[in-house]
Amino acid sequence: MRHTIMTRTLVLWVAMGVNAAASAAGTCGPDAVPAGTTCLDRYEASVWRVPNPTTTNGPLVRKIQFGLATALDLASGGATQLGVGGDDYVPCTDDGQNCAGDIYAVSLPSEIPSARITWFQAQDACASSGKRLPTSAEWQVGANGTPDPGPDNRATDCNSAGNIVSATGTRGACISARGAFDMAGNLEEWVADWAPLSSVCTGWGGLSDDRMCLAGASTEVGGPGALTRGGSFVDGTGAGPLAVVGGRRPAVTSSFIGFRCAADNPGPVPAEVDDGVRVSRTGSDAVIRWSVAAGATASTVLRGHVSGLPVGRPGTDERCLISNSGADTLTDHDVPAGGDAFWYLVRGENAAGSGPYGFEETHGVPVAPRLSSTCP
Amino acid sequence: MKRNGMTMYLGFGMLMVAMPAAHACGPDSVAAGAVCLDRYEESVWRVPNPTTTNALLVTEIQLGTATTDDLTAAGATQLGTFIDDYAPCTANGQNCADDIYAVSLPAVIPAANISWFQAQEACANAGKRLPTSAEWQIGATGTPDAGPDDGTTDCNSDAGSVSLTGARENCQSARGAFDMVGNLDEWVAEWVPLSTACATWGGLSDDLMCLFGASTASVSPGALLRGGDFRSHTAAGPLAVVGSGGPFNSRAFIGFRCAR
């Protein structure tokens, strides 16, 4: 937000006050909710077989990966939903072979979420969609705040006693503090963690009536346990945000086990740059120096004419001097026309996006964000 | 404003802390492999009005630039230093979103008396998470193993009470994190079947190795603790691991640090 003006004879720094905060919101796709450092899918996954994913349906796959694909998009692309009426994932096998580029997990409202899927297949369906299974810890942050199931009213409460799966998000009160649906009940959900195969359910004691089946350690052959969370439509009050089961081997399938995916949350975009923006003269060159914005890994520098203010006015010959650069200094060889001056604005960049250019102010009061599309 | 030949400076407004150029981790953390691990054991703060008047403070917390002065000026109050005062944020992690915030600060009492659920929520509100045990290990490596505690610069393994974060200056890891050994036991992300016993590391180390056995009767899984605490004597150390604490446990010797 530093506003720095350069003429042939005058260098003027106008520091206009720090007042714009970077927003942490909006860095997850529309199909997910932010939960700490994770973007957790808002809905239990429906799994789709997408024909021709690298050719005619390449654009559809990209929409899936950005979290933008709708049920209509999938139907238009000839995709078919799997794991609804039976175990129909072949040629994708229970151990996760032949699944890459075949089955895609999508977080959609009002769909029957896919079940009858192994941990290996679920993980592959997430991966093809550019995601992964959440860890149990990540799942927990996404689940907290979901009402613990009591009697299921079969309409708005979490589906803990319906004995059949509900369409995603249709149980309107079954939403977590961070906005994810069906974390308790409906389908049990695979998470990433493996543990020694649990041999007993002990309960949480007085702390909760949710299922606690992560206890004991089987000494039998046959594989470890892959954790499931949340309970399902058959668990009654044993479903809930603390429900955990460690007794399911990762290659088993069930009509009450599904999953949801997660991705890394890129976090907040950078803050504004600080008061460290400086311009000095070297001959006829202007040398701009700045401190890289807090939270930024790179910087972008925008230049314009004072005669063209406000920032972002069309047709005023703004220039993007550097974009997404690791530099904290640059030399501008251009000289403004007589009677005019250059201004420079610096913004931070990181994996989540671009920081702000700051605000236009009137008498020290911020009135509108500075916006310019000159720099990408 | 000053005049200096042909140059004029006009400056209003306040300074913000600048980050080093192109540094991937915030100033509150150290780079440890693929993660940024917080430099200090967390202090936990209740921030009033986090979405309105204190939204900028919350952003600074999430960027790792908030200071103790920033927090105090905004009316934030520090929790968990003497008692379990996290309510309405409950031991099972309910009512914690946008309420309690973990901050990696030097020279403060780190938060204890906190459950795994609450710790995880405090990290999440700060845009972070609990590290996995493997990530914690990378951050701890190089910390001197606890021997006799000199009470001033060595890792706090024998004081019987908690030290201020970073005050034990020799207690620093190869990657720059403080107090990974001793001071407070630290929650990490993993759950396991509740451990029933402590074994040893054999000749490898004298550090705690209490990730052993699997309860068939416990009403709770175990959430892993790392590093030992101010009562562990020489059993504190970079290999110390305990799987016998349930995630609801809240103790004066258990704290945490976050990662992103």
Side-chain angles (χ1 to χ4, degrees):
Chain A
M1 71 152 293
R2 294 297 146 255
H3 189 157
T4 302
I5 297 172
M6 166 104 187
T7 70
R8 290 181 186 203
T9 57
L10 178 70
V11 180
L12 177 67
W13 285 253
V14 185
M16 300 176 85
V18 172
N19 44 48
S23 168
T27 52
C28 294
D31 62 338
V33 299
T37 58
T38 309
C39 293
L40 187 71
D41 276 358
R42 192 181 300 273
Y43 302 106
E44 290 176 337
S46 54
V47 176
W48 300 75
R49 173 159 285 133
V50 177
N52 310 312
T54 59
T55 55
T56 50
N57 274 327
L60 174 61
V61 169
R62 280 192 289 282
K63 272 188 134 176
I64 291 171
Q65 292 170 341
F66 282 118
L68 301 171
T70 64
L72 185 60
D73 292 333
L74 289 157
S76 301
T80 51
Q81 195 183 347
L82 306 177
V84 177
D87 177 352
D88 49 3
Y89 297 101
V90 289
C92 167
T93 57
D94 283 353
D95 61 358
Q97 303 301 306
N98 309 313
C99 304
D102 179 29
I103 64 170
Y104 294 81
V106 189
S107 165
L108 289 173
S110 303
E111 294 291 330
I112 298 297
S114 296
R116 301 177 175 84
I117 190 164
T118 70
W119 181 93
F120 296 102
Q121 292 167 323
Q123 194 189 35
D124 252 275
C126 289
S128 291
S129 297
K131 302 177 184 176
R132 57 180 170 76
L133 288 176
T135 66
S136 181
E138 291 169 339
W139 189 97
Q140 190 73 58
V141 167
N144 287 337
T146 304
D148 194 21
D152 175 359
N153 68 3
R154 314 288 174 98
T156 56
D157 289 345
C158 292
N159 179 4
S160 59
N163 289 322
I164 189 169
V165 71
S166 300
T168 50
T170 55
R171 298 297 188 98
C174 192
I175 186 170
S176 74
R178 296 179 202 271
F181 285 93
D182 304 319
M183 299 294 287
N186 215 30
L187 295 180
E188 248 176 61
E189 301 182 13
W190 291 119
V191 294
D193 314 53
W194 287 6
L197 190 73
S198 296
S199 56
V200 65
C201 296
T202 54
W204 285 95
L207 297 166
S208 168
D209 62 3
D210 294 353
R211 301 193 80 201
M212 206 310 279
C213 305
L214 180 59
S218 169
T219 54
E220 296 175 12
V221 298
L227 299 194
T228 61
R229 299 299 314 270
S232 76
F233 56 75
V234 300
D235 287 326
T237 56
L242 294 191
V244 57
V245 176
R248 307 202 189 285
R249 292 186 168 107
V252 304
T253 65
S254 163
S255 61
F256 54 80
I257 301 177
F259 69 106
R260 76 181 67 216
C261 305
D264 291 344
N265 182 345
V269 297
E272 289 183 61
V273 295
D274 65 15
D275 280 343
V277 181
R278 294 287 181 272
V279 178
S280 57
R281 294 283 299 272
T282 301
S284 64
D285 292 344
V287 179
I288 302 104
R289 300 175 200 281
W290 63 93
S291 301
V292 175
T297 54
S299 301
T300 290
V301 178
L302 176 68
R303 188 192 75 188
H305 295 271
V306 169
S307 60
L309 287 170
V311 174
R313 209 167 105 199
T316 57
D317 195 26
E318 287 183 5
R319 296 276 176 87
C320 193
L321 297 186
I322 57 172
S323 175
N324 228 346
S325 163
D328 60 2
T329 179
L330 73 80
T331 299
D332 184 3
H333 302 297
D334 295 345
V335 177
D340 202 355
F342 287 145
W343 51 258
Y344 299 93
L345 281 172
V346 180
R347 132 189 129 183
E349 310 281 351
N350 69 16
S354 301
Y357 283 129
F359 283 76
E360 305 285 353
E361 295 185 357
T362 300
H363 305 302
V365 177
V367 291
R370 294 196 185 98
L371 300 173
S372 168
S373 57
T374 301
C375 291
Chain B
M1 176 160 48
K2 68 175 182 178
R3 288 188 178 276
N4 179 12
M6 302 299 288
T7 305
M8 182 168 69
Y9 305 77
L10 291 174
F12 320 87
M14 63 183 185
L15 285 167
M16 288 179 68
V17 175
M19 282 183 63
H23 197 296
C25 292
D28 60 337
S29 61
V30 301
V35 302
C36 297
L37 186 72
D38 277 355
R39 192 181 300 274
Y40 303 104
E41 291 176 336
E42 303 298 325
S43 53
V44 174
W45 299 76
R46 172 158 285 132
V47 176
N49 310 312
T51 59
T52 54
T53 51
N54 278 327
L56 178 59
L57 175 66
V58 169
T59 300
E60 291 206 12
I61 291 171
Q62 292 172 342
L63 292 169
T65 57
T67 64
T68 306
D69 285 348
D70 293 337
L71 290 157
T72 305
T77 50
Q78 195 181 349
L79 305 177
T81 52
F82 298 107
I83 56 169
D84 176 351
D85 50 1
Y86 299 100
C89 168
T90 57
N92 63 359
Q94 304 299 309
N95 309 314
C96 304
D98 298 329
D99 179 30
I100 64 169
Y101 294 81
V103 189
S104 165
L105 291 171
V108 295
I109 298 175
N113 308 297
I114 191 164
S115 74
W116 179 93
F117 294 97
Q118 292 166 322
Q120 196 195 28
E121 286 280 334
C123 289
N125 290 330
K128 302 177 183 175
R129 58 180 170 78
L130 289 177
T132 67
S133 184
E135 292 167 342
W136 187 96
Q137 192 72 59
I138 295 283
T141 303
T143 306
D145 192 19
D149 174 0
D150 69 0
T152 55
T153 58
D154 289 345
C155 291
N156 178 0
S157 60
D158 216 5
S161 62
V162 72
S163 299
L164 299 184
T165 52
R168 299 296 191 98
E169 61 192 62
N170 290 343
C171 192
Q172 190 172 19
S173 75
R175 293 183 168 79
F178 285 93
D179 304 320
M180 301 295 288
V181 169
N183 215 27
L184 295 179
D185 280 304
E186 300 183 14
W187 293 120
V188 294
E190 285 100 331
W191 287 5
V192 294
L194 195 76
S195 297
T196 53
C198 294
T200 70
W201 287 96
L204 183 66
S205 166
D206 63 359
D207 292 353
L208 286 166
M209 209 309 280
C210 304
L211 176 59
F212 189 78
S215 172
T216 55
S218 167
V219 296
S220 163
L224 293 192
L225 293 162
R226 298 300 313 267
D229 61 60
F230 54 72
R231 318 157 304 147
S232 302
H233 309 296
T234 57
L239 294 191
V241 58
V242 175
S244 55
F248 282 101
N249 274 4
S250 167
R251 296 284 186 276
F253 48 83
I254 298 178
F256 67 109
R257 77 180 68 215
C258 306
R260 75 162 85 231

